[in-house]
Structure formats: C-alpha cells, structure tokens
C-alpha cells in the first residue's frame, strides 16, 4: 500500500517501524468470526479480530470501514490523529526532575525544520544558551528537531495533523506555503506592541524580511562577531565522524581546553592516514573543490569574502585579489591533487552530485569532509537520528597553532526570516516579548557569544566549546 500510494517513501516507513519497539502477533488459522464485529469486507474481519484478541492498544489505519467500528479496544485511529496526539504530548510543560530545580514560568514549543540548523543543537537539548535564556527570562523552549532528511514531507505531515508548535523554523517552499495558507501569523502589530528593542536594534533589516504583501511573518537573527568575545570561524571547518574519532582515541574530542576546537592540517592528515589503515572500506574524506580551496586559504589566516558582482576574493599583502590570483593557489592546488592521488578521497570526487555525497555519508562510508559538501546536512540529520555518536562534528582547520584570526572580526549578516509564530500559538505576545529580549544587548550577547566562562572568556577571545 505504501509503495502504491506514496512511491519513493517506502524506505522512510521501513526506518520508522524499525526504530519502534514492537511485538509481532499472528492471526490464527481457525477463527470464529461470529464472536467479533462484522466487517463490510470479509477479508478485513480477521485483521480486526486479531487486534482485539491480542489486546492491541492502537489500531492504525486509513480504511474508513475500520474507523466507523465502535469497540472498547483497540483505539482505532488515523495517522493524522495519532501524530496530533503525539505532538500534544510533546508540547506539554516539562516536569520537575526531582532535584528541586525551579520550573520555568512559561514554556513554548519550537520545531526546527531545517537540517543544518538542527545539527547545531545538543542532542539532549541541554544547550547552554537555552539554559541561560531560561534563567534570564523564566521562559523555556521545548525544542523538537527535524528527524529525517525529507524536511518538507515531515513538516507537511505536521500541517496535516492539525496541531502546530508555538514557533517553527522553516525555509524555502515550505515556508512560502505556510505563509500563503495561513499557518503562521503576521508579526508587525506584535513587534509594535511588544518588541521595542527588536525594532530599535534590528529595524534596519525589517525591509529585507517583509513579504510582497508588505507584512513580516518571520524574523531572522543578526549574526555578529564582536571581537571582545570570539572568532567567527563558521566556514573554516572540517567535519569528522564522532564515533570514529572516539575509537581512534583522539585527545581533543571532549574539547576540555579552549584551543581544542582547532585542528592543524598535519593533525588532520595524520587522522586520515589512520583511517586508511584501520577502516579500509571507509573513504577518509569528501570535498568540494571551491569550498576546500576557501578552507585551505583561511587555514593560513587569510580573510576571504565573496563580494557582490565580483569573483571570490582573498585579502593578502594588504589588498583584495581574486582567489585565482592568490600567490598561494599553486601550493593549494598541488596539495589537493596529492590529496586525491594518495587515496584520501574517492576517484572523481570533484564531480560528485548531492545525491552521491548524501548516499556515501548516510551509509557511514565517509570519515570526514574537507569543508562542507552538498548533502552533508541531510545525511548528518539522518545519522544523528539513528545514533547520536555517528554524527559529524566540527573542527576549525588551521595551518599551525599560531594562526588564530581566520575570518574578519566584526563580521555581521542578517539571516533569513525563517523563525515564525504559528496560528496555533496561544500566547503570541509572550513569545514576542521573549524574542524582544533576545534582541537586547544582553540577550544578543548570550545568543552570539554564549555564557562567559563556559563558551567564551574575555579578553582573550577564545572559543571554549
């Protein structure tokens, strides 16, 4: 039935059921159907009879012949109904853990429907930024992360269930659909009434966040890099499998010291050599040529930027030059040629498409990526859903431990307005007041830098974790 009605979705259904605890029951060869409710279709009668005999709790079906039957047990439900019940249970207030901790004054549910954003969160939602925001505001966020690589389908199931979280992060066509079909609310009046700090500090970005009808339905964030706190190293990364690093006994895995988020090129190559020997069936690395060149340039402490209507530029010797004119390009091209020739990446890797990357990553056949590659975010979300330790974790690549500045200090950019308040939110003013706090100097410092002594120290500008 799944293959007939939802072609291409069978693998997701199989994976869903494999992850559930289940008990297999059988229909007896001989069965007195007179003892059970009569069914219009005689072939359906043994199915309902078996469910009743085996004391099944919930009978999940889309067949109306079953749904109209009135029986004490099992509960006969559609997929939409059971998803709605699950969402309602997940959106409830958190219980006291028994340690006497003060409970938050208010709790709002947040669904992150973006595979890349979901990888940024602690698997147990014990993120220190969330904890600090709760301490400052008395508000907790009950965060649910996207569970599959098919984000759009997952959100569409949520929409069909008829029950939505208070806040949702969505982008692309799904975001457009939610705005068009009225699943999220306009924010202009709420901002005027409840968010003076947001208007003051982020108002210059509002024109970019408005839709064609002139209204704002979502807010983004203002990503900044205050030199008092930290370096912005987002692009200068290699991603490495956590479980394999653990098996190799990598001493920086727990990041107990400030600079253990950095990995030198020599350290990285040493790990790849170990992987070639210990895991011959695993590719040491995937890469995208353009992204890999950028990472290797930044590993030298150079600043790179893609200027509007211009080629990619690197700053060296006090001026900006095209990346192709950089004096370091011959050295980097030689490095990448040797990298591929020595078997650290699959043959033909530079021509791989997103589907090929995603398949290799999701199947556990890749140890690392030199820079980001297409398909990584979706594969990482799928891996983490199965086993959190199989996920890829970030390290910042540097040529030597002396190199600290790898991106422009003071860098700032407005993210897309993908955080939206849904029509089902019972307290939109409370949510907006919380978002307003996030836009204050204190709130934005917590979001942008974290907690002093935990995620940053001053005045040394070092990343702790």
């Amino acid at each position: 039935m799944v293959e007939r009605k939802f072609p291409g979705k069978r693998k997701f259904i199989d994976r869903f059921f494999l992850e559930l605890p289940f008990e297999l029951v059988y229909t007896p060869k001989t069965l007195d159907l007179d003892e059970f409710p009569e069914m219009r279709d005689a072939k359906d009668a043994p199915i309902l009879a078996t469910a009743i005999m085996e004391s099944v709790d919930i009978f999940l079906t889309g067949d109306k012949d079953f749904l109209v039957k009135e029986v004490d047990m099992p509960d006969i439900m559609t997929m939409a109904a059971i998803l709605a019940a699950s969402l309602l249970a997940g959106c409830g207030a958190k219980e006291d853990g028994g340690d006497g901790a003060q409970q938050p004054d208010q709790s709002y549910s947040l669904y992150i429907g973006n595979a890349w954003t979901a990888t940024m969160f602690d698997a147990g939602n014990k993120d220190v930024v969330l904890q600090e925001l709760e301490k400052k505001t008395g508000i907790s966020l009950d965060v649910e992360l996207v569970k599959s690589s098919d984000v759009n389908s997952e959100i569409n199931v949520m929409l069909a269930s008829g029950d939505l979280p208070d806040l949702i992060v969505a982008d692309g066509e799904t975001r457009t659909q939610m705005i068009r079909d009225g699943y999220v609310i306009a924010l202009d009046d709420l901002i005027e009434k409840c968010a003076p700090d947001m208007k003051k500090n982020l108002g210059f970005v509002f024109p970019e966040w408005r839709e064609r009808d002139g209204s704002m339905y979502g807010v983004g964030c203002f990503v900044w890099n205050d030199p008092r706190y930290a370096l912005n190293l987002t692009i200068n990364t290699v991603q490495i499998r956590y479980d394999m690093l653990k098996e190799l006994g990598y001493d920086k895995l727990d990041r107990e010291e400030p600079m253990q988020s950095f990995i030198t090129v020599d350290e990285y190559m040493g790990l790849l050599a170990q992987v070639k020997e210990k895991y011959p069936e695993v590719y040491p690395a995937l890469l995208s040529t353009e992204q890999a060149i950028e990472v290797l340039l930044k590993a030298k402490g150079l600043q790179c930027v893609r200027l509007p209507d211009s080629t990619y530029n690197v700053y060296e010797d006090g001026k900006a030059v095209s990346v192709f004119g950089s004096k370091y390009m011959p050295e980097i091209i030689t490095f990448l040629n040797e990298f591929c020739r020595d078997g650290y990446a699959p043959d033909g890797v530079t021509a791989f498409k997103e589907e090929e990357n995603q398949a290799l990553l999701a199947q556990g056949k890749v140890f690392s990526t030199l820079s980001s590659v297409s398909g990584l975010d979706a594969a990482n979300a799928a891996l983490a859903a199965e086993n959190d330790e199989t996920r890829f974790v970030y390290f910042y690549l540097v040529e030597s431990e002396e190199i600290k500045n790898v991106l422009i200090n003071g860098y700032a950019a407005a993210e897309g307005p993908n955080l939206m308040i849904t029509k089902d939110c019972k307290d939109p003013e409370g949510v907006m007041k919380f978002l307003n706090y996030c836009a204050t100097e204190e709130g934005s410092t917590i979001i942008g830098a974290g907690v002093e002594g935990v995620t940053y120290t001053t005045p040394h500008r070092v990343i702790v974790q």
Side-chain angles (χ1 to χ4, degrees):
M1 183 191 74
V2 172
E3 289 181 342
R4 177 167 53 85
K5 292 191 174 183
F6 307 104
K9 302 301 182 184
R10 170 67 183 271
K11 60 183 179 180
F12 298 113
I13 294 293
D14 288 345
R15 179 176 157 192
F16 171 71
F17 283 115
L18 284 173
E19 290 183 356
L20 291 176
F22 66 89
E23 179 183 350
L24 193 61
V25 298
Y26 297 91
T27 301
K29 289 185 177 180
T30 58
L31 191 62
D32 186 358
L33 295 177
D34 292 336
E35 298 178 6
F36 301 96
E38 183 180 355
M39 296 295 296
R40 181 186 63 84
D41 188 339
K43 291 184 294 185
D44 289 339
I47 300 173
L48 180 59
T50 302
I52 294 172
M53 289 172 55
E54 297 293 341
S55 300
V56 169
D57 296 311
I58 296 175
F59 187 108
L60 192 60
T61 180
D63 190 329
K64 293 181 180 179
D65 284 350
F66 289 106
L67 293 170
V68 297
K69 292 297 173 184
E70 296 183 2
V71 295
D72 293 332
M73 285 290 287
D75 286 332
I76 303 176
M77 304 174 69
T78 64
M79 177 66 82
I82 196 169
L83 282 173
S86 300
L87 286 169
L88 284 169
C91 293
K94 298 178 181 178
E95 297 179 359
D96 191 326
D99 58 1
Q102 182 179 356
Q103 295 301 296
D105 300 329
Q106 180 62 274
S107 178
Y108 300 115
S109 52
L110 165 64
Y111 175 84
I112 298 180
N114 177 290
W116 179 83
T117 307
T119 63
M120 301 294 102
F121 273 82
D122 181 297
N125 293 335
K126 301 186 186 304
D127 187 273
V128 293
V129 169
L130 288 178
Q131 292 175 340
E132 188 69 10
L133 288 174
E134 181 178 322
K135 185 189 304 181
K136 295 289 186 180
T137 64
I139 291 171
S140 71
L141 292 180
D142 184 6
V143 181
E144 182 181 355
L145 309 179
V146 60
K147 296 181 179 65
S148 73
S149 58
D150 192 350
V151 178
N152 290 341
S153 293
E154 191 169 318
I155 293 179
N156 283 334
V157 170
M158 180 188 296
L159 299 181
S161 75
D163 191 83
L164 300 172
D166 298 306
L167 286 152
I168 188 167
V169 174
D171 54 24
E173 180 57 35
T174 302
R175 175 183 176 277
T176 302
Q177 174 195 344
M178 294 184 72
I179 294 172
R180 182 187 64 230
D181 296 343
Y183 288 106
V184 295
I185 64 174
L187 304 180
D188 303 81
D189 291 342
L190 281 173
I191 291 173
E192 283 293 329
K193 183 177 181 180
C194 307
D197 294 292
M198 180 187 291
K199 184 177 179 180
K200 174 185 175 183
N201 297 328
L202 296 179
F204 69 96
V205 192
F206 285 2
E208 299 178 23
W209 289 349
R210 295 191 186 282
E211 300 301 316
R212 291 182 178 179
D213 64 3
S215 298
M216 279 176 54
Y217 294 89
V219 295
C221 61
F222 192 65
V223 182
W224 51 267
N225 179 31
D226 190 316
R228 291 175 298 169
Y229 302 113
L231 299 173
N232 186 328
L233 305 169
T234 306
I235 189 62
N236 198 62
T237 55
V238 291
Q239 287 75 237
I240 309 178
R241 277 276 294 271
Y242 181 92
D243 57 338
M244 292 185 183
L245 284 176
K246 192 173 181 179
E247 289 180 15
L248 294 172
Y250 188 51
D251 58 0
K252 290 183 177 179
L253 194 57
D254 293 329
R255 310 188 192 223
E256 294 176 350
E257 300 296 330
M259 300 308 293
Q260 288 188 341
S261 286
F262 292 81
I263 184 172
T264 66
V265 174
D266 287 343
E267 283 181 272
Y268 178 55
M269 294 304 297
L271 287 170
L272 299 189
Q274 291 183 61
V275 168
K276 281 184 67 177
E277 181 177 348
K278 185 168 183 177
Y279 308 100
E281 74 286 357
V282 172
Y283 294 115
L286 290 182
L287 61 88
S288 159
T289 304
E290 182 177 346
Q291 298 276 16
I293 289 172
E294 180 180 355
V295 164
L296 292 169
L297 283 168
K298 288 181 176 177
K300 295 178 176 293
L302 300 171
Q303 299 173 352
C304 301
V305 65
R306 185 183 297 279
L307 301 174
D309 302 318
S310 174
T311 60
Y312 203 80
N313 283 262
V314 58
Y315 288 87
E316 55 185 53
D317 301 327
K319 60 181 181 180
V321 298
S322 166
V323 67
F324 302 107
S326 169
K327 63 184 180 183
Y328 298 105
M329 276 298 285
E331 173 191 338
I332 288 174
I333 295 299
T334 299
F335 174 88
L336 289 175
N337 284 337
E338 292 178 352
F339 189 92
C340 294
R341 187 175 63 242
D342 292 342
Y344 290 112
D347 292 339
V349 66
T350 56
F352 279 9
K353 296 180 180 178
E354 181 174 348
E355 295 78 11
E356 295 169 282
N357 288 334
Q358 186 173 332
L360 288 173
L361 291 161
Q363 292 167 12
K365 294 183 178 180
V366 178
F367 170 68
S368 73
T369 67
L370 176 57
S371 78
S372 183
V373 298
S374 60
L376 173 63
D377 296 335
N380 206 18
L383 286 168
E386 292 183 3
N387 178 358
D388 190 51
E389 289 203 348
T390 63
R391 73 191 189 282
F392 286 81
V393 292
Y394 287 83
F395 285 88
Y396 305 122
L397 190 69
V398 288
E399 194 167 82
S400 71
E401 292 182 353
E402 284 68 45
I403 292 175
K404 302 294 190 298
N405 181 29
V406 295
L407 199 61
I408 303 168
N409 280 326
Y411 172 83
E415 294 286 332
N418 299 329
L419 176 63
M420 300 175 287
I421 300 177
T422 73
K423 65 181 180 64
D424 286 359
C425 177
K426 299 297 190 295
D427 183 22
E429 290 190 4
V431 170
M432 184 54 68
K433 288 175 182 177
F434 172 75
L435 296 178
N436 181 64
Y437 171 78
C438 294
T440 64
E441 182 175 354
E442 182 179 72
S444 64
T445 299
I446 293 171
I447 293 172
V451 182
E452 184 171 6
V454 179
T455 59
Y456 72 89
T457 60
T458 55
H460 306 297
R461 303 185 306 148
V462 295
I463 295 174
V464 175
Q465 193 168 357

